[in-house]
Amino acid sequence: FSAEQEAQALRKAMKGLGTDEDAIIEILTKLNVSQRQQVLITYKSTIGRDLIDDLKSELSGNFERVIIGMMTPTTMYDVHELRRALKGAGTDEGCLIEILASRTNGEIRSINDNYKIQYGRTLEEDIVSDTSSMFRRVLVSLATGNRDEGAYVDDALAQQDAQCLYEAGEKKWGTDEVQFMAILCTRNRPHLLRVFDVYRGIANKDITDSIKSEMSGDLEDALLAVVKCMRNKPAYFAERLYKSMK
């Protein structure tokens, strides 16, 4: 990989009349995130122009959006997307759920820091002013980036958690959503996988089926996303991709 070579090739694709879009696609898709950042810096130092500005002036529409997205460091991309999801008339709940349910503590903390630097207000403030009720509380909880990331499974606690979830949902009239949030948004992954197993034995159904029958709307989507990300993050994204095109 030579950052200088790629930078020159990109310049060539955009110089003069017309733009060689195929060349831009070929160059950028074969690089990883950090290589693209190196190309960005090298482009400026060897050509004396801003690559993002050049791309924006040459491209348009969704193609421009995806290329600029690829050129943006992952954390900053998340920050921009969260802001877009919260700003303006409607709220893009799907975007909020997808990012906050799937990122690690470290990633969430980095998002929080950069969000504040970028917009002069905290992510939590924007979530609180733009969402409501239990859905808001789940997002705020996820946005603290405070989940236990250990690997310890306390079997007695797993039994207790599963029983708690059962009693908070299937067993009673109405649903105690706070219990679901407290367990699903704070426990570590191996522990939750154990809880889900035990839960199936107690309730005779999968935790996802219980969430679907006990909750609705954004809250249901958010808690389902948390469970799916805990079980298998790539499968969660595969499903998101499938639904986006179906």
Side-chain angles (χ1 to χ4, degrees), residues 13-186:
M14 293 185 281
K15 222 164 75 183
L17 218 59
T19 307
D20 185 348
E21 277 135 355
D22 289 338
I24 294 175
I25 293 170
E26 199 188 319
I27 295 162
L28 294 181
T29 50
K30 71 178 180 205
L31 305 176
N32 63 35
V33 176
S34 68
Q35 288 172 332
R36 289 190 212 117
Q37 291 314 300
Q38 288 170 330
V39 171
L40 197 63
I41 296 163
T42 306
Y43 192 91
K44 192 165 268 185
S45 61
T46 58
I47 296 163
R49 299 172 63 96
D50 186 292
L51 177 55
I52 301 288
D53 290 347
D54 279 359
L55 288 166
K56 280 181 173 168
S57 72
E58 296 289 329
L59 313 175
S60 63
N62 283 330
F63 182 50
E64 178 191 340
R65 282 182 62 192
V66 78
I67 293 294
I68 300 302
M70 285 172 67
M71 290 307 302
T72 310
T74 316
T75 301
M76 288 315 294
Y77 187 74
D78 282 349
V79 166
H80 295 158
E81 282 297 292
L82 287 167
R83 178 72 177 153
R84 179 189 62 72
L86 289 162
K87 212 176 75 189
T91 306
D92 180 352
E93 292 86 0
C95 172
L96 299 176
I97 293 168
E98 180 181 307
I99 293 175
L100 295 175
S102 67
R103 305 300 189 253
T104 64
N105 286 350
E107 287 164 345
I108 296 272
R109 287 181 195 141
S110 185
I111 286 169
N112 278 316
D113 294 343
N114 283 285
Y115 195 96
K116 187 145 178 28
I117 293 165
Q118 192 86 8
Y119 304 114
R121 45 192 294 130
T122 68
L123 174 59
E124 187 181 323
E125 284 167 350
D126 280 351
I127 289 173
V128 168
S129 70
D130 223 69
T131 57
S132 61
S133 59
M134 217 39 228
F135 177 55
R136 170 200 288 170
R137 289 169 68 174
V138 169
L139 292 182
V140 167
S141 170
L142 293 172
T144 55
N146 203 29
R147 180 186 295 285
D148 169 13
E149 285 187 337
Y152 178 67
V153 179
D154 177 338
D155 220 53
L157 183 62
Q159 298 281 346
Q160 191 186 317
D161 282 349
Q163 190 63 42
C164 254
L165 288 171
Y166 179 61
E167 285 172 10
E170 293 290 341
K171 200 179 168 191
K172 64 186 287 226
W173 180 253
T175 310
D176 179 358
E177 289 111 342
V178 178
Q179 280 295 348
F180 276 82
M181 183 189 86
I183 292 168
L184 295 179
C185 296
T186 61

